[in-house]
Every structure is written in C-alpha cells, then in structure tokens.
C-alpha cells in the first residue's frame, strides 16, 4: 500500500515495519553463523541480570499466552509447514533488503572517497569553514554518554 505525497512515494508503516522485521530476521540468521557473535550471546545469557529479566518476562501473562498458542499451533503439521514457508520467505526478502543496503553503502563510500580525492589541499575537509585558529575538540573535551 503506497500513496503519493508531493512527488514522493510514501510506504505504509506496516510495510516498512514488515521490511525492517524481515531484515532483522535475516541479520539474526547471519549473526547466528558468526562464532564471535554467538560467544557474546552466551556471555550475555550467563549474566545474572539478564537471567532475572528473562525469568520475569517468561512469567508474564502475555508470554505464557503466546507460548500456549505456539505450542498448540506446532501440533498441527499444516500450520508448521505454513510457518516454515513464511519464515523462509521473510528471510529471503530480508536478505534481499540487506544486499540492497550494502550496495547503497558501498556506492556512498565510493562517492565520498572520490569527492575527498577531488578536493584540493587548500579546501578544508568535511565542509569545515572555521575561520578561527582554535584546535578541533579532543576526546577529553567531549561530553561522556550517560549510562
């Protein structure tokens, strides 16, 4: 579902959400093949704070209802086939979107590299048009993130 607004194509929130979910699912499947990522996940799951949060979530009514529904659906072979088909399709669509994003990132990086190469030494980098002689901010000058 799309609509036109001042010559721009706007996609419905549902379509954008579905595409993002598909990309996240595809990325998750890739991450699960990465040994380093799996080591980090294992460390996270061993954290007592994480375990407490999971225990709290698993005790919630919403989670219990979802698990009961899923367990019931998993007993029907036709529903299992349908879920597998939908998951496979979502992963394929997510992989396609990830590939498109990677292509765009590479094109942007190449464009930026060419633009910086084309700049003369007298031009200041990154559009820096400061006229004062103050040095750029250092790490010590930056405000730290608040935990």
């Amino acid at each position: 579902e799309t609509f036109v607004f001042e010559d721009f194509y706007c996609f419905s929130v549902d379509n954008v959400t579905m595409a993002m979910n598909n990309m996240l699912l595809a990325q998750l499947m890739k991450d699960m093949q990465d040994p380093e990522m799996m080591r980090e996940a294992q460390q996270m799951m061993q954290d007592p704070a994480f375990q407490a949060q999971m225990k709290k979530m698993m005790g919630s009514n919403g989670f219990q209802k979802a698990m009961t529904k899923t367990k019931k659906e998993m007993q029907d072979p036709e529903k299992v086939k349908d879920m597998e088909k939908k998951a496979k399709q979502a992963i394929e669509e997510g992989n396609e979107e990830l590939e498109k994003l990677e292509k765009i990132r590479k094109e942007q990086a190449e464009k930026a590299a060419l633009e910086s190469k084309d700049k003369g030494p007298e031009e200041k980098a990154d559009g820096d048009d400061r006229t004062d002689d103050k040095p750029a901010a250092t790490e010590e000058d930056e405000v730290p993130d608040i935990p």
Side-chain angles (χ1 to χ4, degrees):
E1 170 186 339
T2 61
F3 57 94
V4 178
F5 178 74
E6 295 182 18
D7 297 330
F8 292 102
Y9 285 96
C10 300
F11 296 91
S12 73
V13 173
D14 291 340
N15 288 342
V16 171
T17 301
M18 185 174 64
M20 290 298 295
N21 288 342
N22 290 348
M23 286 192 310
L24 291 172
L25 180 60
Q27 187 63 54
L28 173 65
M29 297 305 287
K30 288 181 180 188
D31 290 345
M32 289 175 65
Q33 302 302 313
D34 180 354
E36 178 63 26
M37 188 69 77
M38 294 308 295
R39 276 191 292 279
E40 288 179 29
Q42 186 177 21
Q43 287 176 347
M44 180 184 71
M45 288 185 278
Q46 292 172 349
D47 181 355
F50 177 82
Q51 292 174 357
Q53 183 65 28
M54 291 302 295
K55 186 175 181 179
K56 180 180 174 184
M57 181 197 68
M58 291 170 63
S60 72
N61 286 338
F63 183 84
Q64 292 297 321
K65 287 178 184 177
M67 289 304 295
T68 301
K69 180 182 174 188
T70 300
K71 185 177 179 181
K72 184 178 177 181
E73 289 176 351
M74 295 299 284
Q75 293 172 350
D76 181 350
E78 290 302 314
K79 285 188 178 183
V80 171
K81 277 185 187 178
D82 188 45
M83 286 189 279
E84 288 174 348
K85 182 179 175 182
K86 286 180 181 178
K88 185 177 180 178
Q89 181 180 354
I91 292 168
E92 288 173 4
E93 290 173 5
N95 280 327
E96 289 172 8
E97 292 299 319
L98 287 173
E99 288 171 10
K100 288 178 189 175
L101 281 176
E102 186 59 30
K103 183 179 177 184
I104 290 169
R105 285 187 191 120
K106 285 181 181 180
E107 290 171 354
Q108 289 175 339
E110 289 170 1
K111 182 179 177 184
L114 286 174
E115 287 175 357
S116 67
K117 187 178 180 182
D118 290 343
K119 284 186 177 183
E122 67 281 349
E123 291 183 55
K124 293 182 179 180
D126 298 323
D128 186 1
D129 51 351
R130 289 183 293 152
T131 56
D132 58 2
D133 291 332
K134 291 182 185 176
T138 63
E139 277 189 41
E140 294 86 27
D141 297 332
E142 293 181 12
V143 178
D145 291 335
I146 298 173

